């Protein structure tokens, strides 16, 4: 009987179709030769990190033993001969310390005399030793016999007379037996113990190549500064009087140190030097002291506090100075304003992490350094802060011309940007216009107050090196008495401060040709980024600052970008120092533009000139309208200053009476607003319109 199978669930998926794909036969893989596989295995094993670590360990501990033996042998040699004294004499003579050399020579003579006396004593020592042995043996036997007699009398036994003597002989025999038993193993273990002792000496001295040492010893990172480390670092500076004093101190030099306190991203400690050691001796050993403290040279600073014969050491945490500092308060605080006379620009932080602020009041400024180290940003951050004081006027020349100062368009009265000779000519005439304004202010009645006028030239070395000459064959560049740019800067340096006309310059890679001596010495605030040589550091900061420890040539190009060494009375410098190192805040172009937008909102509006008018023909009324710009009204003295900047030849000698005469004739007379004489933009514009209309009607 057949059975029908009924499927309750119908399959909806079509049956799968199996497709047979024919793959062509791949060529058989070529077998890798055995020598290739073996070489790869050996290379992998040799270059593996565990192998390298094990190799370093084997080399390290082996050299600990070898070099430990060398150190022990040298110590023994130094103890038996006068080589140590001779070595110290040579070091003192090399350092020019003749007094120390003479003292070590006297010690050498005393050592040689004592050694000669000991050697002469050796000639008599065998006879003396034999006599001593005979006398000692006789006395010992006599004592033992006397002890036996006393024992025999006590016990009544005559045989006890030799009992102490026989006991002593038995004890000596026992000792001989013990030595016979121990001697064999001692011959085996003794050399191992000697090698262990030599290994210990080498390990304590880290007597192995740098690459073989452990990672923490190689870098020295994280090693805390303790009193013992500081004293040891001072002892090993190579100053004989200091090392001798530390050795003779009962507390091993601990009494020299004040408390070690946390100071910013490091620690600080005062060291009272012993008599005979001067502070400049320690200052001159900064690099060696830093290495003794397992730090880089730029991580240790030596200053002179008010206490006599004391140095203050500041030691950074390892690597802390390579970390960036926080943003500028100009960026984070949108309500910040500036005060030219009483305020200080927030420039950055000193090495202790404290805020570093610079006063700009009546101080000419010079910032220099190698290219691409942050000079423009450091100079621009000062100008950005000062722009938040609405009374400050700017004349700016950027002889790089890549837009670093473009955000001051509409804020500066003059902004010239470009590297060509024509731009240098424009900048020179801008500075000469500032000289005219300075002379006008000097001739004003006593007590007259003038707004600050900042004449800023970035990449000033381009101006000093410019070969162009004017129609009278006077060079624009150079450092001679007929150099137009040089003489204009010198005039502002000589007299500008008294009437608030200040010269700010930024230069790179200073030399006597691109930064003349008289110009760099005319700046009240001098700052330098990383430089190549000490001679350049002296050009940048002056001999006094460099002799006092300033060393921008020790900054690391690229790594210490934005770090300045500053010599100025406008910044707080610790007592005894001639300079201070500042890590400046970085303000990028977008943040700088936001700051200048806030500064523009504080002002009435400034029409920025991008070129100096050198034409012989000029229209006074049109020029007045141009310098007023979009402001509804401008003070008459500001109009005069802007006219002098626009065309020094035409308006440099103008007074208020000249300005009033032109405006009165045009029907746009000045008027008082809040007690100050002003010129109205609408009146001048109306006068120009009426004049043009009248001129057109006359022509018809």
């Amino acid at each position: 009987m057949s059975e029908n199978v009924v499927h309750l669930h119908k399959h909806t998926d079509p049956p799968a179709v199996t497709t047979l794909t024919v793959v062509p036969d791949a060529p058989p893989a070529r077998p890798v030769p055995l020598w290739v596989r073996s070489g790869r295995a050996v290379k992998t094993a040799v270059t593996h990190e565990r192998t390298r670590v094990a190799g370093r360990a084997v080399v390290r501990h082996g050299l600990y033993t070898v070099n430990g033996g060398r150190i022990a042998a040298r110590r023994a040699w130094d103890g038996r001969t006068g080589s140590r004294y001779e070595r110290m004499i040579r070091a003192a003579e090399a350092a020019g310390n003749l007094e120390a050399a003479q003292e070590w020579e006297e010690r050498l003579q005393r050592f040689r005399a004592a050694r000669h006396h000991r050697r002469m004593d050796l000639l008599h020592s065998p006879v003396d030793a034999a006599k001593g042995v005979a006398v000692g043996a006789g006395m010992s036997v006599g004592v033992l016999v006397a002890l036996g007699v006393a024992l025999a009398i006590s016990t009544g036994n005559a045989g006890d007379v030799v009992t102490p003597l026989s006991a002593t002989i038995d004890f000596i025999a026992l000792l001989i037996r013990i030595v016979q038993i121990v001697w064999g193993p001692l011959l085996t273990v003794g050399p191992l113990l000697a090698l262990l002792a030599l290994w210990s000496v080498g390990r304590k001295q880290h007597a192995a190549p740098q690459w073989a040492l452990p990672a923490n010893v190689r870098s020295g990172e994280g090693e805390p500064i303790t009193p013992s480390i500081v004293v040891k670092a001072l002892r090993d500076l190579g100053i004989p009087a200091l090392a001798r004093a530390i050795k003779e101190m009962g507390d091993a030099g601990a009494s020299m140190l004040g408390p070690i306190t946390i100071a910013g991203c490091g620690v600080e400690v005062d060291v009272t030097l012993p008599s005979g050691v001067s502070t400049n001796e320690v200052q001159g050993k900064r690099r060696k002291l830093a290495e003794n403290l397992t730090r880089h040279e730029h991580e240790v600073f030596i200053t002179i506090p008010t206490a006599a014969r004391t140095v203050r050491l500041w030691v950074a945490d390892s690597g802390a100075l390579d970390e960036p500092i926080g943003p500028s308060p100009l960026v984070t605080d949108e309500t910040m304003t500036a005060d030219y006379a009483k305020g200080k620009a927030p420039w950055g932080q000193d090495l202790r992490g404290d805020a570093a602020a610079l006063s700009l009041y009546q101080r000419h400024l010079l910032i220099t350094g190698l290219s691409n180290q942050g000079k423009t940003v450091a100079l621009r951050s000062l100008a950005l802060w000062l722009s938040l004081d609405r009374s400050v006027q700017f004349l700016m020349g950027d002889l790089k011309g890549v837009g670093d100062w473009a955000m001051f368009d509409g804020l500066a009265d003059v902004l010239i940007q470009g590297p060509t000779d024509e731009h240098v000519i424009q900048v020179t005439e801008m500075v000469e216009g500032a000289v005219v304004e300075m002379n006008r202010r000097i001739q004003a009645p006593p007590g007259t107050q003038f707004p600050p006028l900042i004449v800023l030239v970035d990449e000033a070395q381009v101006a000093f090196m410019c070969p162009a000459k004017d129609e009278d064959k006077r060079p624009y560049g150079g450092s001679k008495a007929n150099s137009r740019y040089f003489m204009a800067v010198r005039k502002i340096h000589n007299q500008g401060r008294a009437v608030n006309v200040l010269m700010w310059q930024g230069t790179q890679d200073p030399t006597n040709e691109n930064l003349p001596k008289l110009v760099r010495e005319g700046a009240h605030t001098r700052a330098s980024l990383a430089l190549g040589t000490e001679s350049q550091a002296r050009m940048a900061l002056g001999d006094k600052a460099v002799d006092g420890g300033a060393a921008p040539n020790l900054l690391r190009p690229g790594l210490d970008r934005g770090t300045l060494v500053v010599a100025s009375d406008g910044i707080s410098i610790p007592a005894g120092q001639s300079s201070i190192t500042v890590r400046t805040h970085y303000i990028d172009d977008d943040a700088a533009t936001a700051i200048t937008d806030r500064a523009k909102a504080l002002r009435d509006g400034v029409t920025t000139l991008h070129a100096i008018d050198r034409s012989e023909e000029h229209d006074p009324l049109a020029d007045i309208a141009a310098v007023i710009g979009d402001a509804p009204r401008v003070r008459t003295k500001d109009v005069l200053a802007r006219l002098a900047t626009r065309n020094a030849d035409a308006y440099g000698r103008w007074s208020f009476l000249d300005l009033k005469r032109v405006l009165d004739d045009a029907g746009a007379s000045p008027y008082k607003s809040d007690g100050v004489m002003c010129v109205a933009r609408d009146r001048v514009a109306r006068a120009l319109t009426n004049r043009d209309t009248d001129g057109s009607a006359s022509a018809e």
Side-chain angles (χ1 to χ4, degrees), residues 1 11 39-40 62 75 77 177 182 263 300 340 364 419 444 557 598 646 663 676 679:
M1 180 178 175
H11 295 285
R40 291 175 180 174
R75 289 175 179 175
W77 178 258
R177 181 60 180 168
V182 174
V300 174
Y340 161 76
H364 302 303
R598 287 166 23 210
R646 182 179 181 87
L663 294 175
V676 180
V679 180

Side-chain angles (χ1 to χ4, degrees), residues 241-265:
L242 181 58
R244 182 171 61 254
I246 293 175
K247 183 178 180 180
E248 293 174 353
M249 290 181 183
D251 54 2
S255 60
M256 298 169 53
L257 306 183
I260 297 179
T261 58
I262 296 176
C265 56

Side-chain angles (χ1 to χ4, degrees), residues 630-653:
D630 298 331
R633 62 181 180 273
V634 178
R635 294 179 296 182
T636 54
K637 62 179 181 179
D638 292 340
V639 173
L640 287 171
R642 296 178 184 181
L643 286 173
T645 302
R646 182 179 181 87
N647 191 333
D649 295 336
Y651 305 113
R653 298 183 179 276

Side-chain angles (χ1 to χ4, degrees), residues 572-588:
S572 298
I573 298 179
Q577 290 183 236
S578 58
S579 64
I580 188 172
T581 302
V582 176
R583 304 172 68 200
T584 58
H585 295 294
Y586 176 73
I587 303 177
D588 59 26

Side-chain angles (χ1 to χ4, degrees), residues 392-407:
V392 178
Q393 301 171 355
F394 292 98
L395 306 179
M396 292 186 168
D398 175 17
L399 294 178
K400 183 187 295 182
V402 295
D404 290 335
W405 298 87
M407 66 286 301

Side-chain angles (χ1 to χ4, degrees), residues 95 140 173 214 385 469 485 523 526 537 556 559 577:
S140 299
W385 176 79
K469 297 182 179 181
Y485 180 80
R526 300 167 70 172
R556 302 164 299 170
L559 297 177
Q577 290 183 236

Side-chain angles (χ1 to χ4, degrees), residues 427-475:
V427 168
T428 301
E429 293 177 347
M430 176 192 76
V431 179
E432 290 175 338
V435 174
V436 173
E437 167 63 13
M438 176 189 72
N439 292 333
R440 185 189 69 82
R441 294 183 177 191
I442 292 174
Q443 297 169 6
T448 305
Q449 298 296 320
F450 299 104
L453 175 61
I454 306 299
V455 186
L456 189 152
V457 180
D458 195 12
E459 306 295 342
Q461 76 278 356
V462 178
F464 285 112
M465 299 296 290
C466 178
K469 297 182 179 181
D470 62 12
E471 61 275 4
D472 297 328
K473 304 301 181 181
R474 292 182 59 197

